[in-house]
Coordinates of all heavy atoms in Angstrom, one line a residue:
M179 N 152.1 46.8 117.4 CA 153.0 46.8 116.4 C 152.8 45.5 115.5 O 152.9 45.6 114.2 CB 154.5 46.8 116.9 CG 155.5 46.8 116.0 SD 155.5 48.5 115.2 CE 156.9 48.4 114.3
R180 N 152.6 44.5 116.2 CA 152.4 43.1 115.3 C 151.1 43.2 114.6 O 151.1 42.7 113.4 CB 152.3 42.0 116.4 CG 152.3 40.7 115.7 CD 152.4 39.6 116.7 NE 153.0 38.5 116.2 CZ 153.4 37.4 116.7 NH1 153.2 37.2 118.0 NH2 153.8 36.3 116.1
V181 N 150.0 43.9 115.1 CA 148.9 44.0 114.4 C 149.0 44.8 113.1 O 148.5 44.5 112.0 CB 147.7 44.5 115.3 CG1 146.4 44.7 114.5 CG2 147.4 43.5 116.4
A182 N 149.8 45.9 113.2 CA 150.1 46.7 112.1 C 150.8 46.0 111.0 O 150.5 46.1 109.9 CB 150.9 48.0 112.5
A183 N 151.8 45.2 111.4 CA 152.6 44.5 110.4 C 151.8 43.4 109.7 O 151.8 43.2 108.6 CB 153.8 43.8 111.1
I184 N 150.8 42.7 110.5 CA 150.0 41.8 109.8 C 149.0 42.5 108.9 O 148.6 42.0 107.8 CB 149.2 40.9 110.9 CG1 150.3 40.0 111.6 CG2 148.2 40.1 110.3 CD1 149.7 39.3 112.8
G185 N 148.5 43.6 109.4 CA 147.6 44.4 108.5 C 148.3 44.9 107.2 O 147.6 44.7 106.1
V186 N 149.5 45.3 107.2 CA 150.2 45.7 105.9 C 150.4 44.5 105.0 O 150.3 44.6 103.9 CB 151.6 46.3 106.3 CG1 152.4 46.5 105.1 CG2 151.3 47.7 107.1
L187 N 150.7 43.3 105.7 CA 150.9 42.1 104.9 C 149.7 41.7 104.2 O 149.7 41.3 103.0 CB 151.4 41.0 105.8 CG 151.6 39.6 105.2 CD1 152.7 39.7 104.2 CD2 151.8 38.5 106.2
I188 N 148.5 41.7 104.9 CA 147.3 41.3 104.2 C 146.9 42.2 103.2 O 146.5 41.9 102.1 CB 146.1 41.2 105.4 CG1 146.4 40.0 106.3 CG2 144.7 41.1 104.7 CD1 145.6 40.0 107.5
V189 N 147.0 43.6 103.4 CA 146.7 44.5 102.3 C 147.6 44.4 101.2 O 147.1 44.3 100.0 CB 146.9 45.9 102.9 CG1 146.7 47.0 101.8 CG2 145.7 46.2 103.9
S190 N 148.9 44.2 101.4 CA 149.8 44.0 100.2 C 149.5 42.7 99.4 O 149.6 42.8 98.2 CB 151.3 44.0 100.6 OG 151.6 42.9 101.5
V191 N 149.1 41.6 100.0 CA 148.8 40.4 99.4 C 147.4 40.6 98.6 O 147.4 40.1 97.3 CB 148.6 39.2 100.4 CG1 147.9 38.0 99.7 CG2 149.9 38.8 100.9
V192 N 146.5 41.2 99.1 CA 145.3 41.5 98.4 C 145.5 42.4 97.2 O 145.0 42.2 96.1 CB 144.2 42.1 99.4 CG1 143.0 42.7 98.5 CG2 143.7 41.1 100.3
L193 N 146.3 43.4 97.3 CA 146.5 44.4 96.2 C 147.5 43.6 95.2 O 147.1 43.8 93.9 CB 147.3 45.6 96.7 CG 146.5 46.6 97.5 CD1 147.4 47.7 98.0 CD2 145.3 47.1 96.7
L194 N 148.3 42.7 95.6 CA 149.0 42.0 94.5 C 148.2 41.1 93.8 O 148.3 41.0 92.5 CB 150.2 41.1 95.3 CG 151.1 40.3 94.4 CD1 151.8 41.1 93.4 CD2 152.0 39.4 95.1
L195 N 147.3 40.4 94.4 CA 146.3 39.5 93.8 C 145.4 40.3 92.8 O 145.1 39.9 91.7 CB 145.5 38.7 94.7 CG 146.2 37.7 95.5 CD1 145.4 37.1 96.6 CD2 146.7 36.6 94.5
V196 N 145.0 41.5 93.2 CA 144.2 42.3 92.3 C 144.9 42.7 91.1 O 144.4 42.7 89.9 CB 143.7 43.6 93.0 CG1 143.2 44.7 92.1 CG2 142.7 43.2 94.1
I197 N 146.2 43.0 91.2 CA 147.0 43.3 90.0 C 147.2 42.2 89.1 O 147.1 42.3 87.9 CB 148.4 43.9 90.5 CG1 148.2 45.3 91.1 CG2 149.4 44.1 89.4 CD1 149.5 45.9 91.8
V198 N 147.5 41.0 89.7 CA 147.7 39.9 88.9 C 146.5 39.5 88.1 O 146.6 39.1 86.9 CB 148.2 38.7 89.8 CG1 148.1 37.4 89.0 CG2 149.5 38.9 90.3
F199 N 145.4 39.5 88.6 CA 144.1 39.1 88.0 C 143.5 40.1 87.2 O 142.8 39.9 86.2 CB 143.1 38.5 89.0 CG 143.5 37.1 89.6 CD1 143.9 37.0 90.8 CD2 143.8 36.0 88.7 CE1 144.3 35.8 91.4 CE2 144.2 34.9 89.2 CZ 144.5 34.7 90.5
R200 N 143.7 41.4 87.4 CA 143.1 42.5 86.7 C 143.8 42.6 85.4 O 143.3 42.9 84.3 CB 143.2 43.8 87.4 CG 142.5 44.9 86.6 CD 142.3 46.1 87.4 NE 141.2 45.8 88.4 CZ 140.8 46.8 89.3 NH1 141.4 47.9 89.4 NH2 139.8 46.5 90.1
K201 N 145.2 42.5 85.5 CA 146.0 42.6 84.2 C 146.0 41.4 83.4 O 146.8 41.3 82.4 CB 147.6 43.0 84.7 CG 147.6 44.3 85.4 CD 147.9 45.3 84.4 CE 148.2 46.6 85.2 NZ 148.4 47.7 84.3
K202 N 145.3 40.4 83.8 CA 145.3 39.1 83.1 C 146.6 38.4 82.9 O 147.0 37.7 81.9 CB 144.7 39.2 81.8 CG 143.3 39.9 81.7 CD 142.2 38.9 82.1 CE 140.9 39.6 81.9 NZ 140.1 39.8 83.1
L203 N 147.5 38.6 83.9 CA 148.8 37.9 84.0 C 148.7 36.5 84.2 O 149.4 35.6 83.7 CB 149.7 38.6 84.9 CG 150.1 40.0 84.7 CD1 150.9 40.6 85.9 CD2 150.8 40.1 83.5
G204 N 147.6 36.0 85.0 CA 147.5 34.6 85.3 C 148.6 34.2 86.2 O 149.2 34.9 86.9
W205 N 149.0 32.9 86.0 CA 150.1 32.3 86.8 C 151.3 31.9 86.0 O 152.2 31.3 86.5 CB 149.6 31.1 87.5 CG 148.5 31.3 88.5 CD1 147.2 31.2 88.3 CD2 148.7 32.0 89.8 NE1 146.5 31.6 89.4 CE2 147.4 32.1 90.4 CE3 149.8 32.3 90.5 CZ2 147.1 32.6 91.6 CZ3 149.5 32.9 91.7 CH2 148.3 33.0 92.3
A206 N 151.3 32.5 84.7 CA 152.5 32.2 83.8 C 153.8 32.9 84.4 O 154.9 32.3 84.3 CB 152.2 32.7 82.4
W207 N 153.6 33.9 85.0 CA 154.8 34.7 85.6 C 155.4 34.0 86.7 O 156.6 33.8 86.9 CB 154.4 36.1 86.1 CG 153.5 36.1 87.3 CD1 152.1 36.0 87.3 CD2 153.9 36.1 88.7 NE1 151.6 36.1 88.5 CE2 152.7 36.0 89.3 CE3 155.1 36.3 89.3 CZ2 152.7 36.1 90.8 CZ3 155.1 36.2 90.7 CH2 153.9 36.2 91.3
L208 N 154.6 33.2 87.4 CA 155.1 32.4 88.5 C 156.0 31.2 87.9 O 156.9 30.9 88.6 CB 154.0 31.8 89.4 CG 154.3 31.3 90.7 CD1 155.1 32.2 91.7 CD2 153.1 30.7 91.3
T209 N 155.5 30.6 86.9 CA 156.3 29.6 86.2 C 157.7 30.0 85.8 O 158.7 29.4 85.9 CB 155.5 29.0 85.1 OG1 154.2 28.6 85.6 CG2 156.3 27.8 84.4
I210 N 157.7 31.2 85.1 CA 158.9 31.8 84.6 C 159.8 32.1 85.8 O 161.0 31.8 85.7 CB 158.6 33.0 83.8 CG1 157.8 32.6 82.5 CG2 159.8 33.8 83.5 CD1 157.2 33.8 81.7
F211 N 159.2 32.7 86.9 CA 160.0 33.0 88.0 C 160.6 31.8 88.7 O 161.9 31.8 89.1 CB 159.1 33.8 89.0 CG 160.0 34.3 90.2 CD1 160.9 35.3 90.1 CD2 159.7 33.7 91.4 CE1 161.7 35.7 91.2 CE2 160.4 34.2 92.5 CZ 161.4 35.2 92.5
G212 N 159.8 30.8 88.9 CA 160.4 29.6 89.4 C 161.5 28.9 88.6 O 162.4 28.3 89.1
T213 N 161.3 29.0 87.2 CA 162.3 28.4 86.3 C 163.7 29.2 86.4 O 164.7 28.6 86.7 CB 161.9 28.5 84.9 OG1 160.7 27.9 84.7 CG2 162.9 28.0 84.0
H214 N 163.6 30.5 86.7 CA 164.8 31.4 86.9 C 165.4 31.0 88.1 O 166.6 31.1 88.3 CB 164.4 32.8 86.8 CG 164.2 33.3 85.3 ND1 165.2 34.1 84.7 CD2 163.3 33.2 84.5 CE1 164.7 34.4 83.5 NE2 163.6 33.8 83.3
L215 N 164.6 30.8 89.2 CA 165.2 30.4 90.6 C 165.9 29.2 90.4 O 167.0 29.0 91.0 CB 164.1 30.3 91.6 CG 163.5 31.6 92.1 CD1 162.4 31.3 93.0 CD2 164.7 32.3 92.9
I216 N 165.3 28.2 89.8 CA 166.0 26.8 89.7 C 167.2 27.0 88.9 O 168.3 26.4 89.2 CB 165.0 25.8 89.0 CG1 163.9 25.6 90.0 CG2 165.7 24.5 88.6 CD1 162.7 24.7 89.4
L217 N 167.3 27.6 87.8 CA 168.5 27.9 87.0 C 169.6 28.6 87.7 O 170.7 28.3 87.6 CB 168.2 28.5 85.7 CG 167.3 27.7 84.6 CD1 166.9 28.5 83.5 CD2 168.1 26.6 84.2
A218 N 169.2 29.6 88.5 CA 170.1 30.3 89.3 C 170.8 29.4 90.4 O 172.0 29.4 90.5 CB 169.4 31.5 90.0
A219 N 170.0 28.6 91.0 CA 170.7 27.6 92.0 C 171.5 26.6 91.3 O 172.6 26.3 91.9 CB 169.5 27.0 92.8
L220 N 171.0 26.2 90.1 CA 171.9 25.2 89.3 C 173.3 25.8 88.9 O 174.2 25.2 89.0 CB 171.1 24.7 88.2 CG 171.8 23.7 87.3 CD1 172.0 22.3 88.1 CD2 171.0 23.3 86.0
G221 N 173.2 27.1 88.5 CA 174.4 27.8 88.1 C 175.4 27.9 89.2 O 176.6 27.7 89.1
I222 N 174.9 28.3 90.4 CA 175.8 28.4 91.6 C 176.3 27.1 92.0 O 177.5 26.8 92.3 CB 175.0 29.1 92.8 CG1 174.8 30.5 92.4 CG2 175.8 29.0 94.0 CD1 173.9 31.3 93.4
Y223 N 175.4 26.1 91.9 CA 175.9 24.6 92.2 C 177.0 24.2 91.2 O 178.0 23.6 91.7 CB 174.7 23.7 92.1 CG 175.0 22.3 92.6 CD1 175.0 21.9 93.9 CD2 175.2 21.3 91.6 CE1 175.3 20.6 94.2 CE2 175.4 20.0 92.0 CZ 175.5 19.7 93.3 OH 175.8 18.4 93.6
I224 N 176.9 24.5 90.0 CA 177.9 24.0 89.1 C 179.2 24.7 89.3 O 180.2 24.1 89.3 CB 177.4 24.3 87.6 CG1 176.3 23.4 87.2 CG2 178.5 24.3 86.7 CD1 175.6 23.7 85.9
V225 N 179.1 26.0 89.7 CA 180.3 26.7 90.0 C 181.0 26.2 91.3 O 182.3 26.0 91.3 CB 180.2 28.3 90.2 CG1 181.3 29.0 90.9 CG2 179.8 29.0 88.9
N226 N 180.3 25.8 92.2 CA 180.9 25.3 93.5 C 181.4 23.9 93.3 O 182.5 23.6 93.9 CB 179.7 25.1 94.4 CG 179.3 26.4 95.2 OD1 180.0 27.3 95.1 ND2 178.2 26.5 95.8
F227 N 180.9 23.1 92.5 CA 181.5 21.7 92.3 C 182.0 21.4 91.0 O 182.4 20.2 90.8 CB 180.3 20.7 92.6 CG 179.8 20.8 94.0 CD1 178.6 21.5 94.3 CD2 180.5 20.4 95.1 CE1 178.1 21.6 95.6 CE2 180.0 20.5 96.4 CZ 178.9 21.0 96.6
S228 N 182.3 22.4 90.2 CA 183.1 22.2 88.9 C 184.5 21.9 89.1 O 185.2 21.2 88.4 CB 182.7 23.2 87.9 OG 183.4 24.4 88.3
G229 N 185.1 22.7 90.0 CA 186.5 22.6 90.3 C 187.4 23.4 89.4 O 188.6 23.3 89.4
V230 N 186.7 24.3 88.7 CA 187.5 25.2 87.9 C 188.4 26.2 88.7 O 189.6 26.3 88.4 CB 186.5 26.1 86.9 CG1 187.3 27.1 86.1 CG2 185.7 25.1 86.0
I231 N 187.7 26.8 89.6 CA 188.5 27.6 90.6 C 188.3 27.0 91.9 O 187.2 27.0 92.6 CB 188.0 29.1 90.5 CG1 188.2 29.6 89.2 CG2 188.7 29.9 91.5 CD1 187.6 31.1 89.0
T232 N 189.3 26.4 92.5 CA 189.1 25.6 93.8 C 188.8 26.4 94.9 O 188.2 25.9 95.9 CB 190.3 24.7 94.0 OG1 191.5 25.5 94.0 CG2 190.4 23.7 92.9
E233 N 189.3 27.7 95.1 CA 189.0 28.4 96.3 C 187.7 29.2 96.3 O 187.4 29.9 97.3 CB 190.2 29.4 96.5 CG 190.3 30.6 95.5 CD 191.2 30.3 94.2 OE1 191.7 29.1 94.1 OE2 191.3 31.1 93.4
V234 N 187.0 29.1 95.2 CA 185.7 29.8 95.2 C 184.6 28.9 95.5 O 184.3 27.9 94.9 CB 185.5 30.4 93.8 CG1 184.1 31.1 93.8 CG2 186.6 31.4 93.5
R235 N 183.8 29.1 96.7 CA 182.7 28.4 97.1 C 181.6 29.5 97.3 O 181.7 30.2 98.3 CB 182.9 27.6 98.3 CG 183.9 26.5 98.2 CD 183.2 25.2 97.5 NE 184.2 24.2 97.5 CZ 184.4 23.6 96.4 NH1 183.9 23.8 95.3 NH2 185.3 22.6 96.5
I236 N 180.6 29.5 96.5 CA 179.5 30.5 96.7 C 178.4 29.8 97.5 O 177.9 28.8 97.1 CB 179.0 31.0 95.3 CG1 180.1 31.6 94.5 CG2 177.8 32.0 95.5 CD1 179.7 31.9 93.1
P237 N 178.0 30.4 98.6 CA 176.9 29.7 99.4 C 175.6 29.8 98.7 O 175.2 30.8 98.0 CB 176.9 30.6 100.7 CG 177.5 31.9 100.3 CD 178.5 31.6 99.2
L238 N 174.8 28.8 98.8 CA 173.4 28.7 98.3 C 172.5 29.3 99.4 O 172.1 28.6 100.3 CB 173.0 27.3 97.9 CG 173.6 26.7 96.7 CD1 173.3 25.3 96.6 CD2 173.1 27.5 95.5
N239 N 172.2 30.6 99.3 CA 171.3 31.1 100.2 C 170.4 32.1 99.4 O 170.7 32.4 98.2 CB 172.0 31.9 101.4 CG 173.0 33.0 100.9 OD1 172.8 33.6 99.9 ND2 174.0 33.0 101.6
P240 N 169.3 32.6 100.0 CA 168.4 33.5 99.3 C 169.1 34.7 98.6 O 168.6 35.1 97.5 CB 167.3 33.9 100.3 CG 167.4 32.9 101.3 CD 168.8 32.3 101.4
A241 N 170.0 35.3 99.2 CA 170.7 36.5 98.7 C 171.4 36.2 97.4 O 171.3 36.9 96.4 CB 171.6 37.1 99.7
T242 N 172.1 35.1 97.4 CA 173.0 34.8 96.2 C 172.1 34.3 95.1 O 172.3 34.7 94.0 CB 174.1 33.7 96.4 OG1 173.5 32.6 97.1 CG2 175.0 34.3 97.5
I243 N 171.2 33.5 95.4 CA 170.2 33.0 94.4 C 169.4 34.1 93.9 O 169.1 34.2 92.6 CB 169.3 31.9 95.0 CG1 170.1 30.7 95.2 CG2 168.2 31.5 94.0 CD1 169.4 29.5 96.0
G244 N 169.0 35.1 94.7 CA 168.2 36.2 94.2 C 169.0 37.1 93.3 O 168.6 37.6 92.3
A245 N 170.4 37.3 93.6 CA 171.2 38.1 92.7 C 171.4 37.5 91.4 O 171.3 38.1 90.4 CB 172.6 38.3 93.4
V246 N 171.6 36.1 91.3 CA 171.7 35.4 90.1 C 170.3 35.3 89.4 O 170.4 35.4 88.2 CB 172.3 34.0 90.3 CG1 172.4 33.2 89.1 CG2 173.7 34.1 91.0
T247 N 169.3 35.3 90.1 CA 168.0 35.3 89.4 C 167.7 36.7 88.6 O 167.3 36.6 87.5 CB 166.9 35.1 90.4 OG1 167.0 33.8 91.0 CG2 165.5 35.1 89.7
V248 N 168.2 37.7 89.3 CA 167.9 39.0 88.7 C 169.0 39.2 87.6 O 168.6 39.8 86.5 CB 168.0 40.1 89.7 CG1 168.0 41.5 89.1 CG2 166.8 40.0 90.7
L249 N 170.3 39.0 87.8 CA 171.3 39.3 86.9 C 171.6 38.2 85.9 O 172.3 38.5 84.9 CB 172.6 39.6 87.6 CG 172.4 40.9 88.7 CD1 173.7 41.0 89.4 CD2 172.1 42.1 87.9
G250 N 171.2 37.0 86.1 CA 171.5 35.9 85.2 C 173.0 35.4 85.3 O 173.6 35.5 86.5
L251 N 173.6 35.0 84.2 CA 175.0 34.5 84.2 C 175.9 35.6 84.7 O 176.9 35.2 85.5 CB 175.4 34.0 82.9 CG 176.7 33.3 82.8 CD1 176.8 32.1 83.8 CD2 177.0 32.9 81.4
P252 N 175.9 36.9 84.4 CA 176.7 37.8 84.9 C 176.6 38.0 86.4 O 177.6 38.3 87.1 CB 176.3 39.2 84.3 CG 175.7 38.7 83.0 CD 175.0 37.3 83.3
G253 N 175.6 37.5 87.0 CA 175.4 37.5 88.5 C 176.3 36.5 89.1 O 176.9 36.7 90.1
V254 N 176.4 35.3 88.4 CA 177.4 34.3 89.0 C 178.8 34.8 88.9 O 179.5 34.6 89.8 CB 177.2 32.9 88.1 CG1 178.3 32.0 88.6 CG2 175.8 32.4 88.3
L255 N 179.1 35.5 87.8 CA 180.5 36.0 87.6 C 180.7 37.1 88.7 O 181.8 37.2 89.2 CB 180.7 36.5 86.3 CG 180.6 35.4 85.1 CD1 180.7 36.1 83.7 CD2 181.6 34.3 85.4
M256 N 179.7 37.9 88.9 CA 179.8 38.9 89.9 C 180.2 38.3 91.3 O 181.0 38.8 92.0 CB 178.6 39.8 89.9 CG 178.6 40.8 91.1 SD 177.0 41.5 91.6 CE 176.2 40.1 92.3
L257 N 179.3 37.3 91.7 CA 179.6 36.7 93.0 C 180.9 36.0 93.0 O 181.6 36.1 94.1 CB 178.5 35.7 93.2 CG 177.1 36.1 93.5 CD1 176.1 35.1 93.6 CD2 177.1 37.0 94.8
M258 N 181.4 35.5 92.0 CA 182.7 34.8 92.0 C 183.8 36.0 92.1 O 184.7 35.8 92.9 CB 183.0 34.1 90.7 CG 182.3 32.8 90.5 SD 182.5 32.0 89.0 CE 184.3 31.9 88.9
G259 N 183.7 37.1 91.5 CA 184.5 38.1 91.7 C 184.5 38.7 92.9 O 185.6 39.1 93.6
L260 N 183.4 38.9 93.6 CA 183.4 39.4 95.0 C 184.0 38.5 96.0 O 184.7 38.8 96.9 CB 181.9 39.6 95.3 CG 181.2 40.9 94.8 CD1 179.7 40.8 95.1 CD2 181.8 42.1 95.4
K261 N 183.8 37.1 95.7 CA 184.3 36.1 96.6 C 185.9 36.1 96.5 O 186.6 36.0 97.5 CB 183.7 34.7 96.2 CG 184.3 33.6 97.2 CD 183.5 33.7 98.5 CE 183.8 32.5 99.3 NZ 182.9 32.4 100.4
I262 N 186.5 36.2 95.3 CA 187.9 36.3 95.1 C 188.4 37.6 95.7 O 189.5 37.6 96.4 CB 188.3 36.1 93.6 CG1 187.9 34.7 93.3 CG2 189.6 36.4 93.4 CD1 187.9 34.5 91.7
T263 N 187.8 38.7 95.4 CA 188.3 40.0 95.8 C 188.2 40.2 97.4 O 189.1 40.7 98.0 CB 187.5 41.1 95.2 OG1 187.6 40.9 93.8 CG2 188.1 42.6 95.6
L264 N 187.0 39.9 98.0 CA 186.8 40.2 99.4 C 187.4 39.1 100.3 O 187.7 39.5 101.5 CB 185.4 40.4 99.6 CG 184.8 41.6 98.9 CD1 183.3 41.7 99.2 CD2 185.4 42.9 99.3
F265 N 187.4 37.9 99.9 CA 187.7 36.9 100.8 C 188.9 36.2 100.2 O 189.4 35.3 100.3 CB 186.6 35.9 101.1 CG 185.3 36.5 101.6 CD1 184.2 36.7 100.8 CD2 185.4 37.0 102.8 CE1 183.2 37.4 101.3 CE2 184.3 37.6 103.4 CZ 183.1 37.8 102.6

């Protein structure tokens, strides 16, 4: 089972590298993605420590940062709404 998982991982990494270099994407997409990750973490950090809504603390973890990376500022508002509604 472990050998199969490692094999799938190696094949997927090789195919990803083929796609990146064949399409001439280079490494610019990685810079943009990294910038979005940093801005997402910064947005959540600002919400946590701004004191606008004192009972809302959004945890900084891969799931919340990923949601805000994909959705942008509406992602932060979505997480705030979920936190207020569910907890």
Side-chain angles (χ1 to χ4, degrees):
M179 184 70 172
R180 188 176 206 175
V181 175
I184 291 173
V186 169
L187 177 67
I188 290 171
V189 169
S190 64
V191 166
V192 169
L193 290 175
L194 179 63
L195 289 174
V196 167
I197 289 171
V198 166
F199 289 116
R200 182 170 288 176
K201 298 268 186 187
K202 304 284 190 247
L203 294 175
W205 295 103
W207 66 274
L208 191 59
T209 305
I210 294 169
F211 182 70
T213 304
H214 283 255
L215 280 176
I216 292 170
L217 290 174
L220 183 65
I222 293 173
Y223 184 79
I224 288 171
V225 167
N226 284 340
F227 295 105
S228 66
V230 174
I231 303 176
T232 57
E233 67 269 2
V234 176
R235 297 276 184 237
I236 301 171
L238 282 171
N239 57 35
T242 57
I243 293 175
V246 176
T247 299
V248 172
L249 298 174
L251 185 59
V254 174
L255 298 175
M256 176 200 67
L257 290 173
M258 287 176 58
L260 284 172
K261 186 74 171 192
I262 291 169
T263 303
L264 297 177
F265 301 108

